[in-house]
Each structure stands twice: as structure tokens, then as C-alpha cells.
Amino acid sequence: MKVRIIDIAKKAGVSAGTVDRIIHQRGKCSLKAIEKVKQAIEELGYEPDLTARNLALKKVLHIACLIPDPAETEYWSRQIVGIEKAINELASFKVKVDVVLFSARISSFREAYDKVLKMQPNGVVYVPLFFEESKKFADELHQQNIPFVLLNIYHQELNPLFFIGQDPIAAGKVAASLCWMGLKDNKKSILVASISKLHQEYSHIESRINGFLQFFTENGLPEVQIDQFHLEIDENRNDSDYETVFRDYLINSPQIRIIYVPNSRAYRIAYILKKHKINGIMLIGFDTLNNNIKLLKEGYIQFLIAQQSQNQGYHSVIFLFNALFIKNDVKKEHFFPVDILNKENIEFYAGRML
Amino acid sequence: MKVRIIDIAKKAGVSAGTVDRIIHQRGKCSLKAIEKVKQAIEELGYEPDLTARNLALKKVLHIACLIPDPAETEYWSRQIVGIEKAINELASFKVKVDVVLFSARISSFREAYDKVLKMQPNGVVYVPLFFEESKKFADELHQQNIPFVLLNIYHQELNPLFFIGQDPIAAGKVAASLCWMGLKDNKKSILVASISKLHQEYSHIESRINGFLQFFTENGLPEVQIDQFHLEIDENRNDSDYETVFRDYLINSPQIRIIYVPNSRAYRIAYILKKHKINGIMLIGFDTLNNNIKLLKEGYIQFLIAQQSQNQGYHSVIFLFNALFIKNDVKKEHFFPVDILNKENIEFYAGRML
DNA sequence: TTGTATGCGTTATCAG
DNA sequence: CTGATAACGCATACAA
């Protein structure tokens, strides 16, 4: 049958209270008692009953999640869905998970993390969208001894309890391998088209580009010509400006056969290709935004690289809960698969929750 | 605060016992009581505390899993790992999950399902490897009112509580889309090489082939030439026989540029290509067997189509547990993603458990 | 430093 | 048909 605390108490010749103290290292106990209890636990193979523990628990565990506002950047909506699934699943447990959203501005991030610090949570999940401020936040959390999880963007130097996300170098290589396959003609070239907002954390996008380039050098394929086109989005200019610039660039570069967009904005390029009826170009981008999915299905995007964002959101809180509640060890880095999506398999992927 | 059974009992002016009877539809209750309690539940928004329920539960839920022996066919080892993860996670709950293995023979399957029926479980997960016998098993389970889950192979007519696995037609189409991309020269052709054991359930493999062929017709690409080569493995012949036959076939068919293996035995072909130094052929197969992974990494296989078998095993018991224990509804069909793996992204996939 | 008692929310039994 | 009550295994406050 199941081994309970009293069982090991009896075996060790002490009371249940003592066993509890030893298991949780609270209060003082005689060394003799500790010895005997530990041995009894070992021999009988005690495993705590999580449901009983939860029922008896007085205080609730508090987890705070600091995520960019999906109303502003659709990309984050999937992580939120995953977090909400986790919240739902943990409903019967004594955990309270708060989601704090922030806008893609440094000031907003700071406000949000101040708010989180005031909550005095037992654990934090956050997306380090701005490096400097993220560092300050991490320092504060370390000082207050609050374990935290980095979601989606990895900075080892922040030393989180664990990271959960994708390896951007690897993702870039995967994209490159597909491009290489699609490059039927060696005289044609590949364009790396990065479209970014000013001031935003960019390191993982750079890594995706570096990984992409590395693929060709590592595989001894220097003959492949790779151009780069960088567009910085400025709030003051409107979209049609960019469209014109990029269209003209394309028209003047007929050798381009493949376009690689290292972030989630491939749909912008696809839209231009579609509107101006530019054919014969293979487009590959990242993330399952609705627009990307739509244009993938329509055939204007050939591949999307994805990373199971819902799952990442879900597991960021589940793993943290496990670490805090069940107190089991966690892997320091949870690198999620680099998923390859095309017109044919997108249907079974979109909105999938595992 | 949390709404408990006593809270709704008070509100409805009855006792906790009555509320319990109404919630679980056990025993008889007056219509008046039922009305009032249901209304109170509605108004207060009662959600049962799963941990308390579990603690109080007297009887344990019994789930039996009928899976092909992985010692015989490596393919099934991942499902088993997933099932074991689920067992582990449910350790504190009053569930007992038994795994019954069977050999890839009809008689063994029958013995195993007899054993399962004798156990009188509350729910069953099984792989319908042999159709006729699977039908008998399903009939028996229906008669005894034991809900069951079909894992990996789908037969709608068995009418399971739900199916969990991959859509083989879709998987075939995904494979085809990759082949089409890799077919740089229209004069070359594709070979569908199926290697099967006698007497084994073959319908989902056929579907993978059909899906593959459909891709080309549906996309108006009849000019692509597709050959088929079928090898039936006979226990009495040894492996080198097949090797010779296939090698000769290949040597006599220089037009073949791509080989599609609709089951997990691509490594066999890859091995022949490697041994006889046959280059320039793109090979695509299914499933992350160790041999497949090895030859993918070595470059003898270009793509593997996978289906998160661990996850499928894991969720087959988790979802069944949810349906039986928490009594929530389940989707009838859980189609898992058609994952595309190549040399670059395999590292983050193999052995991944979500 | 240690033992004991009470309660967590639910199930299940038993007496009405 | 209904109400009261003893478990379930653990955490915690309090007593010793």
C-alpha cells in the first residue's frame, strides 16, 4: 500500500511532526532523529501525496508572468493562451498565477516589473524584451531571492532558474537548410530581409541570421550568394512607403530566388509579392501569426519556422510550479523544437495545444 | 473565496450529502432538491476541488494499455515512455495504469486483450494492430461499457471514446510536398518503396501512399513519374536477400531521384545506399527510430516525418484520465502534427517530451 | 527538540 | 429520500 508520513514516523520511532520537520527542513531536530527518519524514508520509499499536501496547505503559491501585450503584438497571444491553459489546469491547487502585460516600450516594461515586485510573488516568468531593464529586474529578483524563468528570449547572464524557448542559431540553420534545398539554380541568390522596430531587443533575431549564414559556411557552400536588406520601421512613416522601397529593390534584383525573413513579419513581404504579382520567389519566415498562416496557405510563403509558443507559455508556468510546489529539479534550458511548417502540415499545427 | 459543497448546500437549504448525490447522480433525490441545488451551483459557480476529491476517493480508477512490445518493434518504445511519464505524473492520484504488451502476432494480441478484459478496467488504451481482432475487442468493450481509446491507428468503425494519432493521408501529402520541392529535374522520378511484414495491419501505410499520390494529382502535377516497389518481409529469408534485390532494382533504374518509404524502415534503404555508395538520391521516411535518426544525421536520409509518439502515448492516458476522473468532455479525434525533421532540427526533437 | 490535535473539501457510510 | 459524520494524508499551530 501507500507509504504515509505516519508509517515512516512509526518505523523511525518518532512522531509525524518530526518527520514533517525533517522532510521540509523547518525547525530543529536531533541528529539521531534525522538519521532514523531519512533511513525510514529510504527503506519504505516514501513519496508525498501531492493532493493531500495541497489540501492541507495554508498559504498559496504566487506566480507572476510578465508578458508583452498581445493586443499590441499578436505574436504573444499564443504564449498567453498557454499560460491560461496552465492556470486552468492548476485551478484546484493552491497557486495564484497573475499575468501582467506590458507595451513594447522600456518605460512600460519598467512599470510592469515594479508592479510585479510589489506583489512579492514566489516565482516569476518574464520575457526579457529589453536587455538593460531585464538585467535590472533580474538583479532585483536575485536579491529578493525570487526564482524566475526566462521565456522566449535567452540571456544566460541573467541566470534564471531556467529558460524556455528556441535556440535561434539552430532555427536559422534549419531555415537555411530549407533554402538550400529550394535553391535549384546556383546562379540565383538568397535575400535576408530583416524588418525591425527601433530600440527593440534584437539579439535573437541576429542569432537567427547568424545561424542562417553559418549553415552555408559550415557546409562548404560559399558559392551561394546571400544579400541582406534591412528595414527599420519608424512609427512616423506609413506602410506604403516600405512597400514601395521593397518592391523597387526586388524589381532591381532579379537574381533573387529566395527571401528569408528572420522574424514574424514575412507576411509583409508576402503581401507585396501577392499585390505586385511577383512570382517564382520562395519565401520563408517565422511564427504562426494569422497573417503568416493565411499567406502560407495561399502559397505566398513556402515555409514558416515555428516554436510551439503555446506550449512554451504553458510549460513556463507548469515547470515553475513543479519546481516550487513539488520541489523537483528543473533542467536549466528547455530548448523547444524548431518546427518546419508548410501548406500541407499547417492545418494540424495551428492552435495546437499539447 | 473558493465555493465548496457546504456553501451550495447552505444556499440550497439542504445537506452536503444531498448535494453530492445530485452532482454525481447517485441515489435518489427529490426534484425540488435537484432544482435548488443546480441553481445554487450555477449562481455560486461551484468547481470541485480535484485534490480533495482524490483524497477522499475510496476506489481507484483502473486504466489498461495494450501496446505492441517495444522489445520487438522499437517504434513503440516512445509511446511507452510517454505512458510512463503519465503514470508518474498521476502517482498521487487514485489511478492505476497497467501496461500490457503483445507481440506482433494475432494470437498474442488476443491473449493480451483477454488478459485486459479479465482485469475489468475502467478504461482502456490500445493499438488496433490487427483489424479483425481489434473489432472483436472493441465489441466486447462496448458490451461491457468500458470506454476505450485508439492509439496510433484509427478505425472509425470501432467507435472509440477518442482516437489519438496522426492523419496518414495528410502525412503522405506532407512527404509529397517535400519530394516535389526536392525534385529539381522533371525527367527524374520518385520511387515509393514499401517494406512490410506479412499479415500486419497495413491500412494506415496505404493511406500514407494514397496521400502521397493525391498530392500530385490535386496539385496538377501528373508529369511527375512515380514508381512503386513493394517488398514483403518473410521471416524465413534473411536481410541480405532484400538488400541484393533492392540494390539491383536501383542500379537498373537510374532515373530515380527520390525514394519515399511510407513506414519506419527508411533506414534499411539508407543502409543500402550507404553501403553501395549510391549518391544523389533523396530519401524520405517516417518515424524517429534510432537507426533513422542516425542515418538522417549522416545525410543518407533527407527527411523524416514524425508524429510525437511520446506525446501521443502520454496524452492517451492523460486525456482518458481526464474523461474518467474529472469527467470532462473529450474531442473525438486528436490529430497530432505532421512533423518535418531533417539533419538540422532533429537534435531538438529526438526524445523530446512536452 | 518533540508530540498532538485540528482542519483542508470531498466521498461514502450509516442511521434516520 | 435525507442529514450527519468519519475518513483520506498532510501541514500547521500549539502544547509539552
Side-chain angles (χ1 to χ4, degrees):
Chain A
M1 249 336 345
K2 173 170 272 182
V3 181
R4 296 157 304 166
I5 278 188
I6 343 183
D7 298 325
I8 72 157
K10 274 179 191 151
K11 173 126 188 169
V14 296
S15 77
T18 303
V19 174
D20 179 75
R21 265 163 241 131
I22 292 170
I23 289 175
H24 292 99
Q25 298 154 36
R26 49 185 163 224
K28 302 274 169 203
C29 292
S30 68
L31 280 172
K32 225 192 294 176
I34 294 182
E35 267 320 303
K36 281 194 295 183
V37 166
K38 287 204 164 171
Q39 191 179 336
I41 287 179
E42 198 64 37
E43 281 181 36
L44 298 185
Y46 170 73
E47 289 292 338
D49 182 315
L50 267 25
T51 66
R53 168 179 296 175
N54 182 68
L55 194 60
L57 227 44
K58 285 271 163 45
K59 47 182 181 290
V60 324
L61 198 68
H62 190 186
I63 291 178
C65 304
L66 202 57
I67 314 286
D69 190 345
E72 202 175 287
T73 315
E74 182 200 335
Y75 175 66
W76 302 103
S77 62
R78 293 181 185 269
Q79 283 85 347
I80 300 279
V81 171
I83 289 171
E84 267 157 10
K85 195 201 165 195
I87 291 174
N88 210 275
E89 211 163 90
L90 297 176
S92 292
F93 286 84
K94 295 216 170 49
V95 221
K96 188 174 171 315
V97 181
D98 280 310
V99 176
V100 178
L101 302 176
F102 63 92
S103 293
R105 286 173 283 109
I106 291 179
S107 60
S108 175
F109 179 77
R110 182 159 16 192
E111 276 167 34
Y113 90 58
D114 272 339
K115 194 170 153 192
V116 167
L117 286 172
K118 279 213 192 72
M119 290 172 167
Q120 293 280 20
N122 305 95
V124 168
V125 173
Y126 79 98
V127 178
L129 198 59
F130 307 101
F131 181 74
E132 291 301 331
E133 296 301 310
S134 293
K135 174 87 177 99
K136 283 184 207 159
F137 188 30
D139 288 344
E140 194 60 45
L141 290 167
H142 278 302
Q143 201 156 61
Q144 299 193 25
N145 240 314
I146 301 172
F148 64 92
V149 174
L150 252 33
L151 175 60
N152 205 272
I153 301 172
Y154 193 21
H155 292 292
Q156 277 198 48
E157 56 268 56
L158 302 189
N159 194 25
L161 179 63
F162 62 87
F163 162 71
I164 191 158
Q166 190 177 63
D167 178 344
I169 300 270
K173 288 185 184 176
V174 172
S177 70
L178 297 170
C179 289
W180 171 237
M181 213 193 139
L183 200 69
K184 305 189 183 187
D185 182 344
N186 276 337
K187 288 188 214 80
K188 298 291 186 176
S189 71
I190 299 176
L191 178 68
V192 177
S194 38
I195 308 170
S196 63
K197 276 187 189 155
L198 285 165
H199 307 304
Q200 211 150 324
E201 172 64 32
Y202 193 64
S203 63
H204 63 300
I205 305 296
E206 265 177 345
S207 297
R208 284 176 180 172
I209 297 176
N210 291 337
F212 189 85
L213 300 174
Q214 277 172 40
F215 174 85
F216 294 98
T217 55
E218 284 173 3
N219 287 284
L221 306 166
E223 78 270 21
V224 176
Q225 203 201 311
I226 300 173
D227 302 333
Q228 297 216 25
F229 184 91
H230 193 98
L231 215 61
E232 279 223 335
I233 296 180
D234 183 331
E235 312 263 321
N236 303 320
R237 284 173 66 189
N238 70 47
D239 283 6
S240 63
D241 282 0
Y242 301 111
E243 196 184 311
T244 315
V245 171
F246 192 74
R247 186 204 53 195
D248 292 347
Y249 177 88
L250 272 191
I251 288 172
N252 293 321
S253 316
Q255 79 286 0
I256 290 170
R257 157 102 184 95
I258 296 177
I259 301 176
Y260 168 59
V261 183
N263 60 25
S264 59
R265 300 197 177 86
Y267 67 92
R268 288 191 176 228
I269 307 274
Y271 176 70
I272 296 174
L273 297 181
K274 180 180 178 182
K275 186 171 174 192
H276 297 281
K277 299 198 169 60
I278 303 173
N279 295 316
I281 286 187
M282 168 173 157
L283 181 57
I284 177 166
F286 280 81
D287 305 323
T288 51
L289 302 195
N290 291 330
N291 275 329
N292 279 342
I293 292 178
K294 180 166 165 282
L295 288 151
L296 181 75
K297 285 182 178 168
E298 289 179 14
Y300 293 98
I301 296 175
Q302 271 59 53
F303 285 109
L304 287 173
I305 305 294
Q307 55 175 319
Q308 303 183 14
S309 302
Q310 289 192 21
N311 244 320
Q312 288 182 16
Y314 172 75
H315 282 98
S316 65
V317 349
I318 293 291
F319 288 159
L320 183 55
F321 171 76
N322 286 346
L324 264 34
F325 184 86
I326 314 183
K327 295 176 202 294
N328 55 6
D329 302 338
V330 236
K331 252 199 315 180
K332 195 114 184 69
E333 294 167 331
H334 294 264
F335 286 113
F336 266 58
V338 181
D339 287 323
I340 299 172
L341 304 181
N342 69 5
K343 205 177 173 175
E344 304 302 326
N345 72 350
I346 183 72
E347 183 192 344
F348 298 94
Y349 191 84
R352 233 201 117 43
M353 184 77 239
L354 297 182
Chain B
M1 245 341 340
K2 173 171 272 185
V3 181
R4 297 156 305 166
I5 277 188
I6 350 179
D7 298 325
I8 71 158
K10 275 179 190 149
K11 174 122 186 169
V14 296
S15 78
T18 302
V19 174
D20 179 73
R21 264 163 242 132
I22 291 170
I23 289 176
H24 297 294
Q25 296 154 37
R26 50 183 162 224
K28 301 276 170 202
C29 292
S30 68
L31 280 171
K32 227 192 293 179
I34 295 183
E35 266 319 304
K36 283 194 292 185
V37 166
K38 286 203 165 172
Q39 191 179 338
I41 287 179
E42 197 64 35
E43 281 181 37
L44 298 184
Y46 169 74
E47 288 292 338
D49 182 314
L50 266 25
T51 65
R53 166 178 298 174
N54 182 68
L55 193 59
L57 229 41
K58 285 273 164 40
K59 48 181 181 292
V60 324
L61 199 66
H62 189 186
I63 292 177
C65 305
L66 202 55
I67 314 286
D69 190 345
E72 202 175 288
T73 315
E74 182 200 336
Y75 175 67
W76 302 104
S77 61
R78 292 181 184 269
Q79 284 84 346
I80 300 278
V81 171
I83 289 171
E84 267 158 9
K85 195 200 166 197
I87 291 175
N88 210 275
E89 212 162 87
L90 296 177
S92 291
F93 286 84
K94 295 214 168 51
V95 222
K96 186 173 171 317
V97 181
D98 280 309
V99 176
V100 177
L101 302 177
F102 63 92
S103 294
R105 286 174 282 109
I106 291 180
S107 59
S108 175
F109 180 75
R110 183 161 15 195
E111 276 167 33
Y113 90 57
D114 271 339
K115 194 169 154 192
V116 167
L117 286 172
K118 280 212 191 72
M119 290 172 168
Q120 293 280 21
N122 305 97
V124 168
V125 173
Y126 80 97
V127 178
L129 199 58
F130 306 101
F131 180 74
E132 290 301 333
E133 295 301 310
S134 293
K135 174 85 175 101
K136 282 183 207 159
F137 189 31
D139 288 345
E140 194 60 44
L141 290 167
H142 275 126
Q143 200 156 61
Q144 299 193 25
N145 240 313
I146 302 171
F148 65 91
V149 174
L150 252 33
L151 176 61
N152 205 273
I153 301 173
Y154 193 21
H155 292 293
Q156 276 199 48
E157 57 268 56
L158 302 189
N159 194 25
L161 179 63
F162 62 87
F163 162 72
I164 191 158
Q166 190 177 62
D167 178 344
I169 300 269
K173 288 184 183 177
V174 172
S177 70
L178 297 169
C179 290
W180 171 236
M181 211 191 142
L183 200 68
K184 306 190 184 188
D185 182 346
N186 276 336
K187 287 188 216 80
K188 298 292 185 177
S189 72
I190 299 175
L191 177 69
V192 177
S194 37
I195 309 171
S196 63
K197 276 188 190 154
L198 286 166
H199 307 304
Q200 212 150 325
E201 172 63 30
Y202 194 64
S203 62
H204 63 300
I205 306 295
E206 265 176 347
S207 297
R208 285 175 179 172
I209 298 176
N210 291 336
F212 189 84
L213 301 174
Q214 276 171 42
F215 174 85
F216 295 98
T217 55
E218 284 173 2
N219 287 285
L221 307 165
E223 77 270 19
V224 176
Q225 202 201 312
I226 300 173
D227 301 334
Q228 297 216 25
F229 184 90
H230 193 97
L231 214 61
E232 278 222 337
I233 297 181
D234 183 330
E235 313 263 321
N236 303 319
R237 283 172 66 188
N238 71 45
D239 284 6
S240 63
D241 283 359
Y242 302 112
E243 196 183 312
T244 314
V245 171
F246 192 75
R247 186 205 54 195
D248 292 347
Y249 178 88
L250 272 192
I251 289 172
N252 293 320
S253 316
Q255 79 287 0
I256 289 170
R257 157 103 184 93
I258 297 177
I259 300 176
Y260 168 59
V261 183
N263 60 25
S264 60
R265 301 199 176 86
Y267 67 91
R268 288 192 174 226
I269 307 273
Y271 176 71
I272 297 173
L273 298 181
K274 180 181 179 182
K275 187 171 174 192
H276 297 281
K277 299 197 170 63
I278 303 173
N279 294 316
I281 285 188
M282 168 173 158
L283 181 58
I284 177 167
F286 280 81
D287 306 323
T288 51
L289 302 195
N290 291 330
N291 275 329
N292 280 342
I293 291 177
K294 179 167 165 282
L295 288 152
L296 182 75
K297 285 183 177 167
E298 288 179 14
Y300 294 98
I301 296 175
Q302 271 60 53
F303 285 110
L304 287 173
I305 306 295
Q307 55 175 320
Q308 304 182 15
S309 301
Q310 289 192 21
N311 245 319
Q312 288 183 15
Y314 172 75
H315 282 99
S316 66
V317 350
I318 293 291
F319 287 160
L320 182 56
F321 171 76
N322 285 347
L324 263 34
F325 185 86
I326 313 183
K327 293 175 205 293
N328 54 7
D329 301 339
V330 234
K331 252 198 315 180
K332 194 113 184 70
E333 294 168 331
H334 295 264
F335 286 113
F336 266 58
V338 181
D339 287 323
I340 298 172
L341 305 180
N342 70 5
K343 205 177 172 173
E344 305 302 326
N345 71 350
I346 184 72
E347 183 192 344
F348 298 94
Y349 191 84
R352 234 200 118 39
M353 185 77 239
L354 297 179

